[in-house]
Amino acid sequence: MTANPDAVRGRPSPDRGSGARPGTELPYDAVAAWCEVVGEAHVLTAPEDREVAGRCTFPAPLPEAVLCPADAAQTRDCLRIAHRHGVRVHPVSTGRNWGYGSGCPPAEHTVVLRLARLDRILHHDEQLGLVTVEPGVTFGQLAEALGRRSSELLPPSTGAGPSTSVLANALQRGSGRGPYQDMASHLRRLEVVRPDGTRLSTGPGPGPELTGLFLQGGPGVVVSAELWLHPRPRAGRSVIFRLPDERLLPGVVDAARRLLQRAPGGVAVSLWNRARLAAQVLPAPRSRLPEHLDGPWTGYAELWADDPRVLDLLYASVLRAFAPYADHWDTDDVTTGHVAAPGAPGAAEGAARYDRAPGLASAYRHKPGGPLYVPAGQERDPDRDRCGVLWFTPRLPMSGARTDTVLRLVERIMTDRGMEPCLALRLGTRDLRCVTGLFWDRDEPGADARALECRRELLRGCARMGVHPYRPVIGDDLGDAGNEGSRLLLDQMASALDPRGVLRARPRRGGGQ
């Protein structure tokens, strides 16, 4: 780090006026104004700061600068300055959106607005089952706070671990465990700052529901969100079943659809192929899975209820639904409200039965030490450790035949490009989410380019079938996704709410190219 604070933090010299700062395209007046608002220590423009902020699990643009406001008022003022000077801004929460872009901007010449310092739990209503959180509140922080208050509410969790943002996961349509399969559906109210600094609230009331306008990037920065939480169930059970033949998969998808459409609730079902499980369990790519997981596909059902008799009925329904297809069963009763993901290593394999972040472990699939590797004295950090991770997440109709067709295309594209098809299906009543993981070692020459080209081909191939990701990666061009009239309306609304394009890229219409 240089000893000159003006050079490090971007503070303009008095005789330089409002021209661009050397090495960046940021106006001096904008940088000076941001320093006044958040303090010089929280305006990062030095090359080494930008390099750290630009770490990602795949090649991504570096931010032009990073702003770290402490509260909603500072966030508003940062946006007003960006709006006044026409500077593009990309908001992130904790920056741990691994595999989708981490904390990087989608394009060059963009300032990252990092909201990790907004980390307060603003409200907790035990009776109504509501919490209001800022962007920097993590899953672990929320769970600890509810525990200290002896809350009967079940804290949400995901496979990415306790250090990721609750609010960001919901805004990005992330998937949780147990009752939190669709985190976005738990959003009740948003507090939003528009690019010009004005504020608005979404939530219950007459007229259209506006919350969806601000999911996955929109014409405003969400500075807090109210979410509704489930009561903690008194009993839970996990059911793992093995499919001995991949040709059984379409029948299992159809059986799961019938089960979930008729079940009164308290059931979540997912399917994992052998490679996806191995990416979370095994210490090396060529190791063997334990016998009960070593089928072409493994099914996993989470069950929860307050009454043990209801839990038994749900369990019997699961057995009836999948007995014609499974040849091995593994059942585990739990009382804490959450059960392990099927990728959590078993005790017999020399690791903890319940991995707090099984999805994060998969990022280390091709690194020395494999998924069980944890840096000495540190938490896992795929960005820092140069793990290659990209996700491709198409949403499909809950049809066995349709799913089989799309999966065959995905597997062929990935295999042809030297990538291991790591697939997990999150099943629903009407549709399913295919969470496809591309994992590699970024230190391997040429691996980055191979992975990026593979995902581009996945986008192109699936788009030709009318299939698109439900959760995009930064820089994705999804111009053909959705209805043309809806896309036009959303573009018009974004133009009206963000006329200077502070928070949005220009609309792209390239069919996933």
Side-chain angles (χ1 to χ4, degrees), residues 117-189:
R117 296 176 68 205
L118 281 72
D119 60 356
R120 296 177 299 164
I121 299 172
L122 300 175
H123 182 65
H124 167 213
D125 189 320
E126 181 73 11
Q127 185 177 27
L128 296 181
L130 300 172
V131 293
T132 302
V133 298
E134 292 185 320
V137 174
T138 65
F139 285 97
Q141 180 184 346
L142 178 58
E144 290 173 3
L146 293 175
R148 287 194 303 269
R149 301 170 188 181
S150 300
S151 173
E152 289 297 315
L153 300 176
L154 178 67
S157 65
T158 77
S163 65
T164 54
S165 166
V166 177
L167 188 154
N169 183 272
L171 290 178
Q172 292 296 323
R173 302 184 190 272
S175 300
R177 295 172 174 165
Y180 299 105
Q181 295 294 304
D182 179 5
M183 284 293 295
S185 68
H186 290 262
L187 291 168
R188 186 172 184 269
R189 189 187 310 274

Side-chain angles (χ1 to χ4, degrees), residues 445-494:
D448 278 350
R450 184 175 70 247
L452 289 171
E453 177 54 32
C454 180
R455 191 175 182 282
R456 282 192 291 267
E457 184 56 33
L458 288 171
L459 279 170
R460 288 191 289 260
C462 287
R464 287 192 287 267
M465 302 176 66
V467 173
H468 304 277
Y470 76 92
R471 187 171 176 183
V473 169
I474 59 166
D476 269 355
D477 179 1
L478 302 178
D480 284 348
N483 175 272
E484 183 177 357
S486 298
R487 295 196 305 266
L488 178 60
L489 178 59
L490 288 173
D491 285 344
Q492 291 171 338
M493 295 174 67

Side-chain angles (χ1 to χ4, degrees), residues 41-70:
H42 302 295
V43 179
L44 311 180
T45 61
E48 52 266 48
D49 293 328
R50 296 169 59 213
E51 189 72 30
V52 171
R55 289 174 177 169
C56 191
T57 60
F58 54 87
L62 290 179
E64 200 73 22
V66 181
L67 310 179
C68 305

Side-chain angles (χ1 to χ4, degrees), residues 285-333:
R286 287 175 292 278
S287 300
R288 292 275 303 180
L289 282 164
E291 182 182 0
H292 72 287
L293 299 176
D294 196 24
W297 286 87
T298 296
Y300 173 59
E302 298 176 81
L303 312 178
W304 61 92
D306 286 333
D307 188 331
R309 293 171 298 180
V310 174
L311 188 70
D312 288 339
L313 291 173
L314 292 173
Y315 178 57
S317 297
V318 169
L319 293 182
R320 283 196 302 272
F322 302 122
Y325 309 98
D327 71 344
H328 186 99
W329 297 82
D330 185 21
T331 303
D332 194 8
D333 282 344

